[in-house]
């Protein structure tokens, strides 16, 4: 998950801060100190993530495009210049452009906005931007929410008491809400000093940038791995008392399955899985932050110095064209697979399914899957000519039934016109007429749409009066009978409005 750091370089960030030492500090210096701490942490624990740096005042500027070179990011921090007034809307527009140009609109991104809580003055201020949200033309709309999934963290180089003396905190909370609400506002506790800013950025690291270490097990084999980005807790809406579900630090491979059988399943998130040995070898290359490699290499290439189960698994899945089903927690599964970024590079990826015992309906319950050797006969056939999937459900699904659905008025109009066309061809179309009539009657009763039954009954009575002299006498009897039955059903009489009851043709005899 790439990160965009948005740094406020307006004049308000140059306000002095009184420290115990005689050294003069500005709020900008505290912000730079906090970001340096964040970049050092990411260089040690998030080497494979991309980070970009944007500076803003009334305009915005891309100082460092997305990179893994944290030396470049820290150098840009040390060379920041001071500009004019604060315009957060301009900065957010810049973030939207930078992310979409590099990653498109489907890649989730984290935005770290570092400011002193000053909203700006006059037109272009955050206060003015929020007040005019509903008065804008389509081509000048506010940049939030972003067109891509976002987590926004607002780092205020100010304490909560200072922000609450004005409406700054209210406006920042509204900004966070417009971004989707998936983030947090951080303020400094106590006086403005280096210790307070370290504590504030430490809370950000704990929440958004703490590495996720796990142990991947498969029988007697295991490997220490790190998962990028950190899997988020999942809350199921259909539970009575929903509790966040978190991925276990012990990941157990429960079996393997061919890619063709699992197809392209729905997943909640995708993550890169790396053996810890690879990360340590990357850290051992040179000193400080790693330089951007001329050509990226895969985890398997980097971990070639020592045996590692994770690398063995990655190579096996890639060669055999299979995926590994992995248990993430109680009744929660995912899959491990090899994904190629280019002709020379591939990675071991982990996708998380929706929690539940049957995340992929065509596979059935995951707990009931077993090895081919335990089956009475090979479910794939002797020559791999068949497949046991999809598993056929014991009960026919509702979506496989012939159910009448009226999503648009045109659908209802078509069904009524079909009844009227058959009514004009009575008695030859008697069976078809009553079949379509009963289908519409059942749907109307199911939806509680009794006015429809009354209206169709009136249409049938009208058709009866319009019959030509040459019409068969049975047509008038059938139309009158059907109209009467529909009127009785529309009145709600239980004798005539039963859902399972059908309108039978009126018995007539014109043979003599």
């Amino acid at each position: 998950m790439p990160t965009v750091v948005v740094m406020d370089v307006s004049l308000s960030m140059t306000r002095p801060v009184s420290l115990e030492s005689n050294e003069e500090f500005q709020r900008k210096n505290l912000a730079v100190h906090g970001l340096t701490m964040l970049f050092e942490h990411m260089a040690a624990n998030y080497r494979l993530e991309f980070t970009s740096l944007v500076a803003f005042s009334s305009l915005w500027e891309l100082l460092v495009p997305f990179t893994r070179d944290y030396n470049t990011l820290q150098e840009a921090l040390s060379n920041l210049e001071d500009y004019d007034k604060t315009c957060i809307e301009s900065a957010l527009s810049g973030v939207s452009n930078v992310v979409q140009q590099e990653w498109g609109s489907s890649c989730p991104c984290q935005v770290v906005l570092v400011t002193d809580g000053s909203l700006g003055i006059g037109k272009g201020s955050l206060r003015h931007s929020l007040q005019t949200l509903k008065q804008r033309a389509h081509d000048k709309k506010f940049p939030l929410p972003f067109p891509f999934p976002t987590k926004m963290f607002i780092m205020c180089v100010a304490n909560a008491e200072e922000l609450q003396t004005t409406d700054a905190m209210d406006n920042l909370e509204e900004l966070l809400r417009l971004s989707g609400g998936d983030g947090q506002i951080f303020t400094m506790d106590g006086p403005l000093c280096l210790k307070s800013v370290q504590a504030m950025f430490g809370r950000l690291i704990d929440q958004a940038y703490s590495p996720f270490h796990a142990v991947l097990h498969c029988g007697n084999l295991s490997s220490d791995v790190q998962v990028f980005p950190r899997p988020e807790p999942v809350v199921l809406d259909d539970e009575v008392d929903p509790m966040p579900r978190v991925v276990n630090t012990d990941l157990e491979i429960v079996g393997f399955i061919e890619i063709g059988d699992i197809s392209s399943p729905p997943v909640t998130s995708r993550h890169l899985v790396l053996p810890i040995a690879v990360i340590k070898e990357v850290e051992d290359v040179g000193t400080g932050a790693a330089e951007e490699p001329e050509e990226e290499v895969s985890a398997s290439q980097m971990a070639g110095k020592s045996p590692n189960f994770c690398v063995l698994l990655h190579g096996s899945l890639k060669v055999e064209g299979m995926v590994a089903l992995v248990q993430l927690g109680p009744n929660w599964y995912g899959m491990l697979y090899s994904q190629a970024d280019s002709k020379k590079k591939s990675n071991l990826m982990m996708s998380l399914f929706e929690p539940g015992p049957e995340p992929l309906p065509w596979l059935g319950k995951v707990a009931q899957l077993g090895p081919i050797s335990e089956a009475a006969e090979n479910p794939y056939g002797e020559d791999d000519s068949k497949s046991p999937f999809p598993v056929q459900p014991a009960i026919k699904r509702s979506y496989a039934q012939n159910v009448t659905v009226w999503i648009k008025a045109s659908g209802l109009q078509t069904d009524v016109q079909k009844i009227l066309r058959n009514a004009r061809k009575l008695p030859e179309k008697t069976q078809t007429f009553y079949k379509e009539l009963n289908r519409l009657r059942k749907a109307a009763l199911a939806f509680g749409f009794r006015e429809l039954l009354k209206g169709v009954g009136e249409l049938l009575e009208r058709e009866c009066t319009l019959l030509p002299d040459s019409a068969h006498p049975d047509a008038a009897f059938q139309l009158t009978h059907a109209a009467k039955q529909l009127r009785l059903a529309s009145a709600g009489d239980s004798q005539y409005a039963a859902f399972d009851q059908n309108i039978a043709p009126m018995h007539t005899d014109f043979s003599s």
Side-chain angles (χ1 to χ4, degrees):
M1 186 184 298
T3 296
V4 181
V5 175
V6 190
M7 177 68 179
D8 186 351
V9 291
S10 62
L11 289 175
S12 61
M13 289 288 285
T14 63
R15 286 180 290 169
V17 176
S18 57
L19 299 178
E20 295 180 358
S21 61
N22 295 327
E23 187 178 358
E24 289 189 5
F25 259 68
Q26 299 175 350
R27 297 190 184 222
K28 183 180 74 171
N29 300 129
L30 294 180
V32 169
H33 182 77
L35 285 176
T36 300
M37 173 183 168
L38 174 63
F39 289 156
E40 288 176 350
H41 172 82
M42 295 179 71
N45 299 280
Y46 272 72
R47 275 280 167 86
L48 299 179
E49 296 292 357
F50 288 90
T51 305
S52 174
L53 179 61
V54 172
F56 77 96
S57 55
S58 60
L59 302 174
W60 65 275
E61 180 184 0
L62 177 62
L63 298 181
V64 181
F66 285 102
T67 181
R68 291 172 174 166
D69 186 354
Y70 289 94
N71 282 336
T72 303
L73 289 164
Q74 299 211 42
E75 184 180 345
L77 277 181
S78 62
N79 296 324
L80 289 176
E81 298 182 11
D82 303 324
Y83 292 93
D84 50 3
K85 67 176 186 177
T86 304
C87 182
I88 293 180
E89 180 178 347
S90 170
L92 297 177
S93 298
V95 170
S96 181
N97 291 336
V98 168
V99 174
Q100 289 187 84
Q101 286 178 8
E102 185 73 25
W103 304 102
S105 58
S106 60
C107 179
C109 183
Q110 297 193 132
V111 177
V112 179
L113 173 62
V114 184
T115 182
D116 60 345
S118 175
L119 304 181
I121 301 172
K123 188 176 181 181
S125 67
L126 181 60
R127 187 181 295 107
H128 179 268
S129 296
L130 296 179
Q131 289 174 349
T132 58
L133 278 179
K134 299 180 180 179
Q135 306 165 12
R136 298 169 177 241
H138 181 72
D139 58 339
K140 295 182 180 180
K141 66 178 184 177
F142 195 67
L144 292 182
F146 291 123
F148 46 86
T150 314
K151 269 191 173 184
M152 179 179 285
F153 301 99
I154 303 176
M155 314 300 294
C156 292
V157 188
N159 51 44
E161 292 78 10
E162 179 184 348
L163 296 175
Q164 288 169 354
T165 56
T166 63
D167 61 346
M169 182 60 81
D170 294 335
N171 283 275
L172 292 176
E173 288 176 349
E174 177 64 12
L175 187 71
L176 189 65
R177 187 193 68 80
L178 289 173
S179 72
D182 200 3
Q184 189 174 337
I185 299 174
F186 292 89
T187 59
M188 297 174 65
D189 297 330
L192 305 186
C193 60
L194 294 176
K195 186 176 180 181
S196 296
V197 79
Q198 287 174 356
M200 179 176 70
F201 275 86
R203 296 197 302 272
L204 170 67
I205 289 171
D206 291 340
Q207 178 169 336
Y209 295 100
S210 56
F212 185 84
H213 295 289
V215 181
L216 183 61
H217 300 276
C218 181
N220 295 324
L221 301 174
S222 64
S223 176
D224 294 329
V225 297
Q226 185 171 342
V227 179
F228 298 94
R230 184 183 184 87
E232 296 291 333
V234 176
V235 178
L236 297 181
D237 296 333
D238 56 353
E239 292 184 346
V240 178
D241 189 14
M243 293 289 292
R245 297 198 184 191
V246 296
V247 176
N248 287 347
T249 53
D250 283 316
L251 306 176
E252 186 75 35
I253 293 177
V254 296
F256 300 88
I257 192 168
E258 293 185 4
I259 291 179
D261 289 332
I262 207 162
S263 188
S264 299
V267 298
T268 59
S269 59
R270 295 179 176 85
H271 307 265
L272 176 65
V273 179
L274 272 182
I276 298 297
V278 172
I279 300 169
K280 289 181 178 178
E281 287 183 21
V282 172
E283 291 174 354
D284 291 339
V285 178
T287 58
E291 296 182 357
E292 196 77 35
E294 293 182 5
E295 182 179 342
E296 295 187 62
V297 292
S298 69
S300 302
Q301 291 171 314
M302 289 192 290
K305 297 180 181 179
S306 57
N308 189 284
F309 163 64
C310 190
V311 177
L312 172 66
L313 174 68
H314 177 208
S316 302
L317 295 177
K318 182 178 180 181
V319 171
E320 297 295 330
M322 303 186 79
V323 301
L325 293 178
V326 58
Q327 186 161 11
L328 312 170
N331 278 337
W332 193 8
Y333 300 92
M335 67 175 183
L336 293 165
Y337 56 98
S338 174
Q339 183 180 57
D341 287 350
S342 62
K343 292 182 179 180
K344 296 183 179 181
K345 180 176 177 288
S346 63
N347 295 307
L348 182 62
M349 303 294 294
M350 180 172 71
S351 292
L352 311 188
F353 302 146
E354 285 281 353
E358 196 175 352
L360 309 179
W362 61 91
L363 294 184
K365 292 185 177 180
V366 176
Q368 295 179 356
L369 296 174
I372 297 177
S373 57
E374 293 186 2
E377 60 180 27
N378 190 339
Y380 291 93
E382 296 300 329
D383 54 353
D384 291 340
S385 59
K386 60 180 182 177
S387 173
F389 307 109
V391 175
Q392 298 299 321
I395 302 173
K396 197 173 185 182
R397 303 293 184 185
S398 61
Y399 50 72
Q401 305 291 335
N402 185 19
V403 179
T404 302
V405 179
W406 297 314
I407 298 175
K408 297 181 180 179
S410 58
L412 174 59
Q413 183 180 4
T414 300
D415 286 347
V416 173
Q417 288 175 341
K418 192 182 296 183
I419 292 173
L420 296 179
R421 284 198 303 271
N422 288 307
R424 292 166 191 150
K425 298 178 181 178
L426 291 173
E428 291 82 3
K429 294 288 186 178
T430 299
Q431 296 300 323
T432 307
F433 169 74
Y434 279 99
K435 177 184 175 183
E436 295 297 331
L437 187 67
N438 283 313
R439 187 169 71 87
L440 180 136
R441 175 185 175 278
K442 281 192 173 185
L445 291 174
F447 299 145
F449 196 1
R450 290 180 177 172
E451 296 85 354
L452 174 64
L453 300 180
K454 182 179 179 182
V456 174
E458 293 173 352
L459 286 175
L460 294 181
E461 288 178 338
R462 180 175 177 276
E463 285 296 323
C464 186
T465 60
L466 297 176
L467 288 173
D469 296 336
S470 58
H472 196 286
D474 190 29
F477 283 102
Q478 298 296 346
L479 290 175
T480 304
H481 167 68
K484 179 182 177 182
Q485 293 295 318
L486 290 178
R487 281 201 310 273
L488 291 171
S490 67
D493 190 333
S494 59
Q495 181 180 354
Y496 299 99
F499 179 78
D500 294 330
Q501 179 181 334
N502 287 325
I503 301 176
M506 184 178 185
H507 181 69
T508 55
D509 186 6
F510 294 95
S511 59
S512 60

